[in-house]
Amino acid sequence: MLNIHNLSVSFGGEFLFEEISFKLNPGDKVGLIGKNGAGKSTLLRLLAKEMKGDSGVIASDKEVKIGFLKQDIDFERGRTVLEEAHQAFKALKKLEFQLGEINEQLATRDDYESEGYHQLMVDLNEVTHRYEILGGYNYQGETEKVLLGLGFKRADFKNKTDTFSGGWRMRIELAKLLLQNNDVLLLDEPTNHLDIESIIWLEQFLKNYPGAVVIVSHDKMFLDNVTNRTIEISLGRIYDYNKPYSAYLVLRKEMREQQLNAQKNQEREIQQAERLIEKFRAKSSKASMAQSLIKKLDKIERIEVDEEDNTVMKVRFPVSVQPGKVVVEGQGLGKCYGEKLVIEDVDVLVERGSKIAFVGQNGQGKTTLAKIIVGELDHSGALKLGHNVQLGYFAQNQADYLEEKKTVYDVMLSAANETNRTKVRDILGSFLFRGDDVDKQVKVLSGGERNRLALAKLLLQPFNVLVMDEPTNHLDMKSKNVLKQALNNFEGTLILVSHDRDFLQGLTEKVYEFREGNVKEYLGDIDDYLEQRSALDFRAIEKKTQQSPKEITKSEGKTTNDYHEQKRLKSLKNKLGSLEKKITALEREIGDMDHKLLMEYDQTVANREFFDSYHDKKGELNGLMEEWEKMSNELES
């Protein structure tokens, strides 16, 4: 499908990677990993043929179709969600336009016997036939199914794309890619703006995807659930193994230990040989033996141990001043966006030194409450900050506030004051911006580098209460671990919005669950919360049908009713999963038949049973789609 041979790319005279080679085959689900700046996004752009390497070849089959989800996207203003998603079907939209023109002409002409009218009828037949072959009567249902899977509601379909946040616009772009039936999917941080429920849906979609998929992600659970192969870019080389991420890490560690042991054994043999050479060289009777040993040493292929890139940022969040015992107190807090109620009559009391996680689906009010606390949103109810409270806030899109044309150093310098201006270079160094890196413009930085810069900038202001909204977006695995350690060591108060279970484990001592405009407090970290919610994992919590506010307030532990309800939900989800597999298999069969019609029309139509089978399968597919929609609505309600 894709064959990459001796590919090299350099920037400023330094190789990002040099003479790397690998192949992509159908069914490969590749996790592309490496530290920020290692070249992951660059490699995706090369595979998408959006840029060229310094040397090497990327060979592909002639008709291979490649879809690329970038971190930064642009939309044409004025389109609705549905209209934008339908842009995935440009060939079908063109045929629809042609059909409209032909039908308009047929409606206005009455020269039924003329050659021109006859030609219009021929054209109508040909265009209609091609429209049907390309799936013209199915694409609208397919589009709705994918949009619903990615978290949109039917009410959203007619809304303009520019009324949605960047995260939701990213979902529309992802939907377009998934609808295009590409042979290769290149996904750059696809989970960054998705909630858990949508991530689960995407995982299932990608598992069943017949083509090749290359994913850049720092979501360990997502990589483990989707990938069957891992390619790591490290210090200009790649390490390629047919294992998902966690299994790959274990294998890499074992192989490196084996290399180290083999290298030590070889070193002992070499040292022994060198001692014998020195011993025999002085004796004329042993000189030939010494020469023989020298030749043997020259022929030994020295064992090399794979280099490890262990450079990590160094983060420490100092507490500015000691605040009062109560740092945040809110009573009857509420917020509406137009007619949409997000949170209602919420009481919060945050004491000094607390570490709290905000969890729940997108749109349930986590970011809204965080913004209310830091004073960025108007609201109903009363909010009071405690004595000496100084707030530090890291927004979900904090990196977007960085000025594109400024250099890394200038961004920091403009945020510094007289007391910390001299520390700017030291702070940048601890966040891995060293040497010439500080002179790079923000616009050339990767997503991970921008996040690191935003974190570095945060340290220039004094705070004792830290509010962070999805701070791990774009950060590589090592940087996430370093940030987690820094937050563990932070002696102030922490409020953390995150969907990342691995990151949250052991980090907080309270969990606030957001659901249907209400907030419920659970004591303990994320694992304690899961135990109290009687669920196997964080994702199961997010997938559950939402309870009413009364049930959220009153339910403690797992009642008999909860148990039966969970069993019914599980049964529904299993049936839905089975139905989706049948739909996928049937769509693949119909696609193969469409391809036969397109490529081998005469031979295909000669088979009388072909069209009977073709129409039966289409009818079956429509029935399954109706059943899927009915079951999905039942699950939602």
Side-chain angles (χ1 to χ4, degrees), residues 135-181:
Y137 299 113
N138 296 326
Y139 82 91
Q140 292 180 343
E142 277 296 296
T143 303
E144 290 184 12
K145 186 174 85 170
V146 170
L147 287 173
L148 289 169
L150 286 171
F152 288 94
K153 294 181 174 63
R154 289 191 181 278
D156 297 326
F157 291 174
K158 293 181 180 179
N159 295 336
K160 303 290 185 186
T161 57
D162 34 294
T163 63
F164 287 85
S165 67
W168 285 99
R169 290 204 293 269
M170 181 69 80
R171 294 187 195 207
I172 301 170
E173 190 68 15
L174 180 57
K176 285 160 61 178
L177 276 184
L178 300 182
L179 288 162
Q180 284 169 355
N181 292 323

Side-chain angles (χ1 to χ4, degrees), residues 249-280:
L249 287 183
V250 173
L251 186 62
R252 271 277 276 135
K253 186 179 179 182
E254 288 174 355
M255 291 189 70
R256 196 167 187 279
E257 286 173 356
Q258 289 171 4
Q259 287 177 336
L260 281 167
N261 290 332
Q263 188 186 56
K264 287 176 184 175
N265 290 335
Q266 189 184 64
E267 283 296 323
R268 281 196 292 269
E269 291 175 10
I270 290 170
Q271 288 171 8
Q272 177 68 14
E274 286 174 344
R275 282 195 293 270
L276 289 173
I277 290 168
E278 287 300 316
K279 186 176 179 182
F280 295 154

Side-chain angles (χ1 to χ4, degrees), residues 63-77:
E63 296 180 0
V64 69
K65 289 170 63 181
I66 299 174
F68 182 23
L69 179 72
K70 308 174 192 178
Q71 289 183 17
D72 302 313
I73 54 173
D74 292 315
F75 275 117
E76 186 176 312
R77 289 181 172 272

Side-chain angles (χ1 to χ4, degrees), residues 1-3 24-27 59-61 64 183-184 210-212:
M1 192 175 279
L2 278 182
N3 190 353
L24 281 180
N25 301 306
S60 64
D61 300 336
V64 69
D183 301 298
V184 179

Side-chain angles (χ1 to χ4, degrees), residues 22-275:
F22 61 94
K23 287 183 181 179
L24 281 180
N25 301 306
D28 280 348
K29 307 292 190 294
V30 180
L32 184 60
I33 65 170
K35 59 174 282 191
N36 292 138
K40 302 183 297 295
S41 295
T42 299
L43 183 53
L44 288 189
R45 289 179 63 200
L46 288 162
L47 296 177
K49 300 179 181 176
E50 288 199 350
M51 65 177 287
K52 291 185 177 180
D54 298 342
S55 61
V57 177
I58 300 178
S60 64
D61 300 336
K62 280 186 180 179
E63 296 180 0
V64 69
K65 289 170 63 181
I66 299 174
F68 182 23
L69 179 72
K70 308 174 192 178
Q71 289 183 17
D72 302 313
I73 54 173
D74 292 315
F75 275 117
E76 186 176 312
R77 289 181 172 272
R79 289 187 186 136
T80 65
V81 170
L82 209 52
E83 287 169 344
E84 185 63 46
H86 284 163
Q87 295 305 304
F89 304 98
K90 289 185 177 177
L92 282 172
K93 300 302 284 185
K94 187 177 179 181
L95 290 174
E96 278 184 354
F97 180 75
Q98 289 176 355
L99 284 172
E101 284 192 324
I102 293 169
N103 283 317
E104 190 177 336
Q105 290 184 56
L106 288 172
T108 57
R109 292 178 65 158
D110 55 11
D111 53 335
Y112 307 123
E113 302 299 324
S114 69
E115 190 176 325
Y117 195 90
H118 175 70
Q119 185 59 49
L120 279 176
M121 294 299 293
V122 172
D123 291 345
L124 179 63
N125 187 51
E126 286 181 357
V127 175
T128 302
H129 181 62
R130 182 161 178 76
Y131 183 74
E132 185 174 346
I133 286 174
L134 293 178
Y137 299 113
N138 296 326
Y139 82 91
Q140 292 180 343
E142 277 296 296
T143 303
E144 290 184 12
K145 186 174 85 170
V146 170
L147 287 173
L148 289 169
L150 286 171
F152 288 94
K153 294 181 174 63
R154 289 191 181 278
D156 297 326
F157 291 174
K158 293 181 180 179
N159 295 336
K160 303 290 185 186
T161 57
D162 34 294
T163 63
F164 287 85
S165 67
W168 285 99
R169 290 204 293 269
M170 181 69 80
R171 294 187 195 207
I172 301 170
E173 190 68 15
L174 180 57
K176 285 160 61 178
L177 276 184
L178 300 182
L179 288 162
Q180 284 169 355
N181 292 323
N182 293 293
D183 301 298
V184 179
L185 273 183
L186 308 173
L187 306 178
D188 198 355
E189 301 284 7
T191 63
N192 267 358
H193 301 286
L194 300 184
D195 57 28
I196 302 296
E197 191 171 334
S198 299
I199 290 172
I200 295 163
W201 181 90
L202 180 60
E203 283 178 356
Q204 200 58 45
F205 185 97
L206 294 176
K207 282 179 191 176
N208 296 324
Y209 195 77
V213 183
V214 182
I215 305 165
V216 172
S217 177
H218 300 125
D219 185 331
K220 176 186 170 188
M221 196 178 292
F222 180 72
L223 289 175
D224 282 342
N225 287 339
V226 174
T227 62
N228 54 22
R229 180 177 170 191
T230 301
I231 296 178
E232 180 182 10
I233 304 176
S234 178
L235 300 173
R237 295 180 61 188
I238 64 166
Y239 301 91
D240 184 359
Y241 293 97
N242 291 321
K243 297 282 183 184
Y245 177 72
S246 293
Y248 161 76
L249 287 183
V250 173
L251 186 62
R252 271 277 276 135
K253 186 179 179 182
E254 288 174 355
M255 291 189 70
R256 196 167 187 279
E257 286 173 356
Q258 289 171 4
Q259 287 177 336
L260 281 167
N261 290 332
Q263 188 186 56
K264 287 176 184 175
N265 290 335
Q266 189 184 64
E267 283 296 323
R268 281 196 292 269
E269 291 175 10
I270 290 170
Q271 288 171 8
Q272 177 68 14
E274 286 174 344
R275 282 195 293 270

